Amino acid sequence: MFIIVLVVLALTEAKSITQTFTMKQLQKQQYIPINRFGSRGIVNYKISTRIIKPPKDYENKQFDISFEFFQQDRWQQALKKDECRRQDDANKIVHQTIEVSQDQKVSTQEGQLIFGQYHNVWLAVFNNCQHAIDKVIKINNKNTKLEVTVWFYEEGGQEFSLEEQGLLTVVSILTVFTIIGFIYNYRIFRSEQQKYGEWDYAYLFILVVIGLEALQSLLNFMHLTVYYVNGKGIGAFSAISEIIQVVDNFLLMILLILLAWGWSIEFMDMEDWDIYVPLAFLIAFAQALIIGLGRLVSSQTDNHLYEGWVGYTISLIYISLALYFYYSANQRKKKGDAVDNFYFQLKIYGMLFFLAFPFFLFVSKLVDPYKAYKIISIGNMFVRMLNIVLMARLFTGKSSDYQKICIKGKSFLDRGKFL
């Protein structure tokens, strides 16, 4: 179910946002945020509206609706007022006439927004306080809908909002880096397999994580490249990329906890799989469900998905897992300096992974709101990549302690002491 939610919501991840409303929905809503865009200069907008499947009785009838544009500071002032009085604080108000027709004629309007010399975040709001459409067209016309599209872009064609600028460059670098990293580590894995005649399952785990990260980065890169051109991107690629990222994070989390338990070093066959595997999937599903619900209830007025209770809840999950991971790693049996050194590094890398998100969420609260999204998204990208590199190095370094202490590196007689 969550995957379906992600796919649907990822399709709306663009600076050209389209929303549709039934007559029943319009009757219940008065002030509806449609889209937001950050810029350091002049912002162009294009508004497109139409009536979908109108009743024949209303052919050629015209409706007048209004849209209001708020600069970030003016919007904060407007929030202190009742919805239908907020128009007094709007930077710009535009009216648009929609003509009802069976061919679903589209009404369009274009313009520009200019305010000051510094960065600004603009919010486009559909003012439905007059209920111009839904009080005329009867509510029982279930198939009749109002479609509204607001498209923002900078002067010169820049489709990326201020908080997203630079993201394509970062993703491009990570894409190249992860693909090279996957090829490099795959060759090492094959070499180790030929040397020992068996798979190192812990290292295979890492290889799968790197491969998924490379695929996720590649799909995200392709989506953002198209997004740069049309402000919409490739919705399917964006959705699949997000799903892969969730799976990737989940696998890395599982690997860290398994290693903290001593897997591949003190034992290979684990008891109570029937308990731990469902529990692990329950944690992953809970996190995914929280994100999905957060997307459903979030609006264009939010600076990012993790701004409210979603961010705090996920942070609590990660902090709890960090404490459990650290406790589990400290419970391992001591078998010499090599083991101690391995677990010392593992604890550092694991805590880096689990505490990265809560840390960046905290930092995002200390900066300008438009910077929060970039701090959380890019920060977590780099930390996840750094963590994967460090984990791979922990397994494959020439002087790696893991190679000295893992069960794979021991003779079959010695393995019997640990299994």
Side-chain angles (χ1 to χ4, degrees), residues 14 19 45 72 88 95 142 154 156 205-206 227 237 242 252 256 260 270 275 277 279 308 323 327 393:
Q19 296 191 35
Y45 67 83
Q72 55 186 6
D88 297 335
H95 293 268
K142 297 181 179 180
E154 275 192 349
F205 225 128
I206 284 289
Y227 184 104
F237 283 8
E242 289 199 44
L252 189 53
L256 287 167
M270 190 169 73
I275 297 176
V277 171
L279 180 61
L323 294 174
Y327 170 80
R393 185 66 180 171

Side-chain angles (χ1 to χ4, degrees), residues 5 53 100 110 144 170 179 184-185 201 249 257 269 339 344:
V5 171
K53 296 182 180 180
V100 180
E110 299 183 43
T144 303
V170 172
I179 291 175
Y184 173 77
N185 282 279
Y201 289 102
N249 276 341
I257 292 178
D269 297 324
V339 174
F344 175 75

Side-chain angles (χ1 to χ4, degrees), residues 324-377:
Y324 177 73
F325 164 80
Y326 191 83
Y327 170 80
S328 298
N330 279 333
Q331 301 307 305
R332 304 278 52 85
K333 299 176 182 178
K334 307 298 183 180
K335 298 187 180 72
D337 294 337
V339 174
D340 292 343
N341 189 47
F342 172 80
Y343 278 109
F344 175 75
Q345 294 179 69
L346 181 67
K347 283 187 283 188
I348 292 177
Y349 303 159
M351 296 301 284
L352 175 66
F353 170 77
F354 286 115
L355 297 180
F357 178 83
F359 172 75
F360 286 121
L361 182 66
F362 172 75
V363 173
S364 72
K365 303 294 183 182
L366 307 178
V367 300
D368 289 342
Y370 82 93
K371 295 180 180 179
Y373 172 80
K374 188 176 293 186
I375 287 175
I376 293 177
S377 59

Side-chain angles (χ1 to χ4, degrees), residues 163 167 245 306 360 372-382 384:
E163 71 275 10
L167 193 60
Q245 183 176 323
Y306 307 105
F360 286 121
Y373 172 80
K374 188 176 293 186
I375 287 175
I376 293 177
S377 59
I378 295 180
N380 277 290
M381 283 182 192
F382 274 116
R384 190 169 64 251

Side-chain angles (χ1 to χ4, degrees), residues 73-86:
D73 295 331
R74 298 287 287 272
W75 175 248
Q76 293 302 318
Q77 296 176 17
L79 288 176
K80 300 175 183 178
K81 299 180 179 180
D82 293 335
E83 285 186 337
C84 292
R85 295 181 56 201
R86 292 175 184 174

Side-chain angles (χ1 to χ4, degrees), residues 4-16:
I4 296 174
V5 171
L6 258 182
V7 170
V8 172
L9 290 170
L11 295 175
T12 66
E13 201 173 76
K15 288 302 103 179
S16 176

